[in-house]
């Protein structure tokens, strides 16, 4: 038989902890720019803020790594933005041919010194790659922590494991992609005329961004990424 509280004894109920997982609510109104234009402007602004706050302003790094979802949201915005830019670059490279594709790869090789702040000659990674690695590490670690805290006690058929399984699948693909291209031991090399100022500004409108056609520009030995991609995806 269920019995109630003893007569005369005050019953206290523990207050639910305040939710601190979300950002502050957006301000009321249209922000001064109404209609579709305002929606596009504030969408772009939100993405830029998210990207700039990817790693160091999420609140996850304390004395221990917690499961605050800001770590996954902001890092996801950054990783998706990078992926879109990267895919667009690859698309242009495949259309324009090997010179453009190899020139894009050499662009990142030229800025590798930024990874060592100019203090280490021939540093292997640029600051872009370092920040990308930090964003990926944050996203994976916080996602695994949240999956362990939230989804581990559920069965597969509930669907609570979908994001974890899809994320691990993407991580496996990314690992293979880096092994096949960025860290490949079978990479061939070719010659290219790189722009003096990183970008071939006179050729931008015609889709020629990362190589020069002027024969007075000296040839440089670069990684033949185009041939490597064709070898990997020809089947």
């Amino acid at each position: 038989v269920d019995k109630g509280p003893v007569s005369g004894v005050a019953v206290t109920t523990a207050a639910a902890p305040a939710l601190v997982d979300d950002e502050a609510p957006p301000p009321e109104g249209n922000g001064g720019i109404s209609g579709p234009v305002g929606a596009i402007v504030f969408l772009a602004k939100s993405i830029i803020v998210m990207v700039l706050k990817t790693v160091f302003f999420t609140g996850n790094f304390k004395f221990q790594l917690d499961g605050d979802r800001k770590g996954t949201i902001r890092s996801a915005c950054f990783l998706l933005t990078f992926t879109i830019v990267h895919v667009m670059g690859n698309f242009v490279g495949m259309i324009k041919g090997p010179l453009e594709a190899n020139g894009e790869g050499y662009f990142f090789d030229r800025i590798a010194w930024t990874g060592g702040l100019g203090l280490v000659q021939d540093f292997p990674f640029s600051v872009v790659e370092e920040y990308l690695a930090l964003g990926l590490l944050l996203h994976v670690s916080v996602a695994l922590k949240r999956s362990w805290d939230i989804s581990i006690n559920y069965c597969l058929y509930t669907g609570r494991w979908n994001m974890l399984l899809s994320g691990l699948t993407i991580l496996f693909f990314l690992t293979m992609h880096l092994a096949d291209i960025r860290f490949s031991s079978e990479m061939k090399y070719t010659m290219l005329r790189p722009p003096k100022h990183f970008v071939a500004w006179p050729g931008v409108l015609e889709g020629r961004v990362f190589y020069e056609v002027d024969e007075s520009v000296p040839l440089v030995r670069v990684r033949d990424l185009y041939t490597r991609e064709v070898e990997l995806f020809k089947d």
Side-chain angles (χ1 to χ4, degrees):
V1 178
D2 294 334
K3 297 182 178 181
V6 179
S7 178
V9 178
V11 178
T12 58
T13 302
L19 295 176
V20 295
D21 201 30
D22 293 321
E23 297 283 346
E28 296 292 336
N30 56 25
I33 307 177
S34 60
V37 175
I40 295 173
V41 169
F42 290 113
L43 173 62
K45 175 185 175 183
S46 298
I47 291 176
I48 292 172
V49 171
M50 284 286 187
V51 168
L52 293 177
K53 292 183 175 181
T54 298
V55 175
F56 300 110
F57 299 94
T58 61
N60 296 95
F61 289 108
K62 302 173 184 177
F63 293 103
Q64 62 181 8
L65 185 67
D66 67 17
D68 191 335
R69 68 179 181 178
K70 286 197 295 292
T72 54
I73 293 173
R74 290 179 179 174
S75 58
C77 287
F78 170 65
L79 295 173
L80 285 173
T81 302
F82 175 83
T83 300
I84 293 171
V85 174
H86 184 56
V87 168
M88 289 176 60
N90 287 347
F91 179 73
V92 173
M94 295 306 292
I95 290 179
K96 296 295 293 183
L99 292 177
E100 185 66 28
N102 297 332
E104 180 187 0
Y106 185 61
F107 170 84
F108 288 98
D109 293 341
R110 295 177 75 180
I111 62 172
W113 63 270
T114 59
L117 302 178
L119 302 177
V120 180
Q121 188 176 8
D122 298 328
F123 201 78
F125 308 110
S126 69
V127 67
V128 176
E129 294 173 299
E130 290 175 344
Y131 196 76
L132 182 63
L134 286 174
L136 179 63
L137 178 63
L138 173 66
H139 189 82
V140 171
S141 58
V142 176
L144 289 175
K145 177 70 166 62
R146 288 179 61 81
S147 297
W148 178 266
D149 293 341
I150 299 173
S151 305
I152 198 66
N153 293 322
Y154 289 86
C155 296
L156 284 174
Y157 69 83
T158 63
R160 291 297 188 106
W161 286 61
N162 288 353
M163 293 189 68
L164 173 62
L165 296 177
S166 60
L168 290 176
T169 302
I170 295 172
L171 181 62
F172 174 77
F173 164 78
L174 181 60
T175 303
M176 295 299 299
H177 183 65
L178 291 174
D180 287 336
I181 296 180
R182 182 63 178 88
F183 302 106
S184 174
S185 60
E186 302 178 11
M187 185 67 66
K188 299 180 177 66
Y189 291 86
T190 185
M191 304 303 290
L192 179 80
R193 302 184 193 276
K196 180 178 180 181
H197 302 293
F198 297 96
V199 173
W201 297 110
V204 169
L205 294 180
E206 62 186 62
R208 179 175 57 80
V209 182
F210 295 112
Y211 71 96
E212 294 285 6
V213 294
D214 185 356
E215 294 185 357
S216 65
V217 178
L219 290 168
V220 176
R221 183 173 179 264
V222 301
R223 291 179 296 156
D224 193 353
L225 295 171
Y226 184 88
T227 299
R228 181 60 180 158
E229 291 171 358
V230 171
E231 291 174 349
L232 290 171
F233 301 113
K234 64 182 179 181
D235 296 330

